[in-house]
Amino acid sequence: MTPSLIPTWHQLRKRIHLICFLIFLALPFCNVVRFDIPHQRFYFCGYELWINEFGIVFFALMFLMFLVVVAAVVFGRIYCGYLCPQMIFSEASAAIQLRLRRWLKPHQRLAGAAFYAVLAVASVFLAFIFISYFVEPRDLIRRLAALDIHTAAGVCGAAVTLLTFLDFAFVRLHFCATVCPYGYLQGMLSDSNTLMVLYSDPSHDCIECKKCVRDCPMGIDIRKSPFQIECVHCGECIDSCETILARLKTPKPGLIRYSWGVEGKSRFPVDAKRVILACVVLFYAGGLSLALSMRHAVLVRISPDRATLYRAGADGRIYNHFRYSIANRSHQPQAVVFSIRLLPEATLTLPLNPVAVKAGQTIEGEFDISAPSGRRGEFITHFNIVASTIPNTVTDVFPMTFICPTEAK
Ligand code: SF4
Ligand code: SF4
């Protein structure tokens, strides 16, 4: 018999599992999505964002959250069956255990010991990748090489390794059917048009072979209901039923299939809810792109110190006091030059101007601006402080006010 060129759901799922595994490995190393907790950085699509960049972090988190909601509303628990690491590693762990038992059939104890040894090594590796999402991978390698189990990161690493081992040795897919919050969220978000695995047999063609039940990784009978919390929409039962009915050469290709809703729609339904959700995701994607495009590598903030409105100097000039902070979010040293516009004869007093700031450093400081008292016609004069960043050649203009005593008019 010529093998079919169209993959079964099982084959498709295993290929997607492999791709997801490689993506899971690559994401923290390529900084696509990573929280660096020790350095308080959020990496998103190659951008290094500081936690205090509220606008960008907000848009990024809202975008990701709504993406999850849209995936749940439209595709149901397809994520669980095809993309979830818990599912991928649980099935891989069960498959390795089964293979070792078959290879070492006469030595079941040895098979058990070999499985736990393989799982222990795999757990260290998986825990390493998982923690890489929160700690810089090179830093993590150094800690691992030094067998660091004294610091918080070391204790976390040891705990995650142990949990990973216990999870994939004993818990596996029970997690999906009991405590996984996504399964419950899905139950709340799905509607009459959500993608699901549906058993439909109006002409009573089911031969009660129960192959769909035996092959179900969650051990359920899809014929009872398409809304069972355990069902992860993996499609294994679809393959099982199609294989059996093909062997029997029945006119029906199968009694179970993917369907948009319980009414058995085969076309993607477009309704108001899906259009609104798509608009919300596009809104946050647009906000995120805009916030990223407006981002400066060097963030300068200046504020007037109004504890004292002004100070009259012994030199006859009036002094106003200002504070600044400079955050260099780039990987190169930068410098900021402060200057004054629209305030004639004013002088900016700063020990060093330009102010140098190292890569990743935040510094704070103070400066005075002084002007001759007799030349001010107003109590308040509006002017600008200009902060030019070199070598980035970005210029920020800060509208400010200069205050001098009214008797100086
Ligand atoms: S019922 Fe079918 S789709 Fe649902 S988990 Fe079992 S095999 Fe997968
Ligand atoms: S595999 Fe198909 S024919 Fe067999 S019990 Fe399941 S639904 Fe019925």
Side-chain angles (χ1 to χ4, degrees):
M1 201 168 72
T2 328
S4 167
L5 290 177
I6 302 170
T8 61
W9 294 112
H10 176 80
Q11 290 166 335
L12 179 67
R13 217 158 65 82
K14 290 300 154 189
R15 285 174 202 172
I16 293 176
H17 280 187
L18 180 63
I19 294 169
C20 286
F21 175 59
L22 296 175
I23 292 174
F24 174 70
L25 297 191
L27 283 186
F29 292 92
C30 303
N31 286 335
V32 179
V33 177
R34 188 164 75 79
F35 281 99
D36 191 328
I37 292 174
H39 299 106
Q40 300 191 354
R41 301 284 189 275
F42 174 48
Y43 292 87
F44 185 76
C45 295
Y47 285 92
E48 181 185 313
L49 306 174
W50 290 28
I51 294 297
N52 59 6
E53 292 184 79
F54 175 77
I56 299 177
V57 174
F58 169 78
F59 275 114
L61 293 180
M62 291 302 281
F63 171 69
L64 291 174
M65 192 183 84
F66 271 94
L67 214 53
V68 169
V69 170
V70 168
V73 170
V74 177
F75 298 109
R77 289 188 77 181
I78 286 291
Y79 167 81
C80 306
Y82 287 78
L83 309 173
C84 177
Q86 176 71 20
M87 182 74 169
I88 295 171
F89 298 132
S90 294
E91 288 197 346
S93 151
I96 292 169
Q97 190 172 28
L98 190 66
R99 195 152 289 190
L100 285 170
R101 278 186 184 155
R102 281 192 192 144
W103 282 345
L104 303 166
K105 209 168 187 178
H107 313 285
Q108 286 302 299
R109 282 197 177 170
L110 182 63
F115 168 68
Y116 288 124
V118 170
L119 189 57
V121 175
S123 298
V124 174
F125 178 67
L126 291 179
F128 172 81
I129 298 295
F130 178 72
I131 298 172
S132 294
Y133 280 80
F134 305 98
V135 178
E136 214 277 315
R138 275 165 301 185
D139 183 21
L140 204 54
I141 290 172
R142 277 193 297 274
R143 287 169 189 265
L144 202 61
L147 286 178
D148 166 20
I149 48 167
H150 312 294
T151 61
V155 172
C156 276
V160 172
T161 305
L162 180 65
L163 284 176
T164 307
F165 180 86
L166 295 175
D167 183 11
F168 297 123
F170 306 109
V171 183
R172 293 180 184 163
L173 297 176
H174 296 298
F175 180 89
C176 317
T178 51
V179 288
C180 177
Y182 188 76
Y184 292 101
L185 179 76
Q186 173 52 40
M188 288 186 274
L189 291 176
S190 62
D191 61 17
S192 57
N193 284 330
T194 300
L195 189 68
M196 59 174 59
V197 174
L198 186 69
Y199 165 76
S200 167
D201 185 19
S203 47
H204 305 288
D205 289 314
C206 179
I207 56 166
E208 293 294 338
C209 66
K210 290 200 168 63
K211 181 158 172 58
C212 54
V213 183
R214 286 194 302 280
D215 289 350
C216 172
M218 306 303 292
I220 59 168
D221 187 345
I222 190 64
R223 296 173 302 166
K224 289 182 182 163
S225 163
F227 297 110
Q228 297 171 71
I229 185 80
E230 296 90 346
C231 181
V232 290
H233 295 177
C234 64
E236 295 285 334
C237 51
I238 303 178
D239 288 342
S240 309
C241 191
E242 286 179 357
T243 310
I244 287 289
L245 295 194
R247 259 189 233 155
L248 296 175
K249 297 195 170 44
T250 60
K252 278 219 166 175
L255 308 175
I256 311 170
R257 65 191 170 90
Y258 280 112
S259 147
W260 298 103
V262 272
E263 286 158 20
K265 294 181 200 116
S266 51
R267 282 213 178 157
F268 177 70
V270 179
D271 56 15
K273 186 174 172 184
R274 278 151 182 76
V275 172
I276 291 170
L277 279 173
C279 291
V280 173
V281 170
L282 286 177
F283 168 78
Y284 283 115
L288 180 59
S289 317
L290 188 68
L292 286 172
S293 68
M294 289 166 61
R295 180 178 189 263
H296 289 179
V298 178
L299 179 69
V300 182
R301 288 199 174 110
I302 301 176
S303 59
D305 177 3
R306 295 301 183 208
T308 313
L309 290 181
Y310 59 84
R311 177 172 59 83
D315 53 1
R317 294 172 73 87
I318 300 298
Y319 288 79
N320 279 204
H321 196 61
F322 294 84
R323 294 179 194 281
Y324 69 84
S325 76
I326 306 171
N328 180 1
R329 302 179 292 201
S330 74
H331 293 284
Q332 301 148 357
Q334 306 272 356
V336 175
V337 189
F338 292 101
S339 56
I340 304 166
R341 266 189 210 159
L342 307 177
L343 195 61
E345 296 179 58
T347 310
L348 192 148
T349 315
L350 196 61
L352 278 176
N353 193 9
V355 180
V357 52
K358 291 181 196 156
Q361 190 188 26
T362 299
I363 56 169
E364 293 180 350
E366 302 172 2
F367 58 80
D368 280 329
I369 291 182
S370 65
S373 61
R375 302 292 296 273
R376 306 264 73 75
E378 302 286 338
F379 178 63
I380 290 175
T381 307
H382 294 277
F383 75 107
N384 292 331
I385 299 177
V386 180
S388 306
T389 306
I390 41 179
N392 266 4
T393 60
V394 176
T395 299
D396 289 311
V397 178
F398 298 88
M400 292 285 159
T401 50
F402 187 83
I403 298 179
C404 72
T406 44
E407 58 266 26
K409 275 185 185 177

